[in-house]
Amino acid sequence: MQGTQIRPARAGDEERIRRFLAGLSLHTQTLRFFTGISTPAPALVRALLTMDERRDALVATLGDGEIVGHAMSFKGDCADVEIAVVVADRWQGQGIGPRLIDTLLLRASVRGARSVGMDVLGENRRVLRLVRRLWPDARMTVCSGTVEVTAMIDTAGLFAEQRSGGTPLTA
């Protein structure tokens, strides 16, 4: 986690996102996208970088600009905001995923979101444990091998966790 920073995604990140996706193991690709990705399609790369009134995207980077994590949110149907996160295999378990989630939800809560949703493959035990830790009162519904998670955003906790002088709210 040391040496990483989280920032909004940019259109100029296309090649870095393409390399990031291609470098994920088949297992990690499947846990995030529910399928493997041999060569990331240009439409997928653009979708992961799109930011507008309905969508937000963040990346975790190393000092050289290499992307080691990606998180996105979009206005959802079952919750105010739905999220998806993926971290490069060698960086998993080092706190990057929770940092991406916290920053993403802080940005969403400033825009009025009060509930969060996500779909998790049932075999993704690491993320399901994280969900239980972050949102002990989350509603979890099993549906065709996935777990649909819905929880309330702890806005007070998110703002309290922001300890740095910088702000993730602006590009």
Side-chain angles (χ1 to χ4, degrees), residues 1-4 62 91 94 99:
M1 185 163 83
Q2 185 175 358
T4 59
L62 300 177
W91 288 90
Q94 298 186 40
R99 280 181 53 213

Side-chain angles (χ1 to χ4, degrees), residues 22-96:
L24 297 174
S25 68
L26 177 60
H27 180 71
T28 296
Q29 290 176 356
T30 302
L31 291 178
R32 165 56 181 91
F33 298 102
F34 299 4
T35 188
I37 305 166
S38 57
T39 304
L44 173 62
V45 171
R46 282 191 305 274
L48 293 177
L49 297 174
T50 299
M51 294 175 58
D52 57 27
E53 66 281 346
R54 295 185 50 80
R55 296 174 283 199
D56 194 10
L58 300 172
V59 293
T61 62
L62 300 177
D64 64 1
E66 177 188 358
I67 293 174
V68 296
H70 177 271
M72 63 186 298
S73 68
F74 54 94
K75 288 192 178 183
D77 296 326
C78 300
D80 294 335
V81 65
E82 295 184 30
I83 64 170
V85 179
V86 63
V87 175
D89 293 80
R90 74 174 195 257
W91 288 90
Q92 291 176 12
Q94 298 186 40
I96 293 172

Side-chain angles (χ1 to χ4, degrees), residues 125-146:
R125 301 288 183 221
R126 176 180 265 167
V127 170
L128 293 173
R129 281 191 305 272
L130 177 65
V131 166
R132 282 286 179 223
R133 191 175 80 237
L134 293 177
W135 306 297
D137 296 328
R139 188 179 80 229
M140 301 173 94
T141 307
V142 178
C143 180
S144 300
T146 65

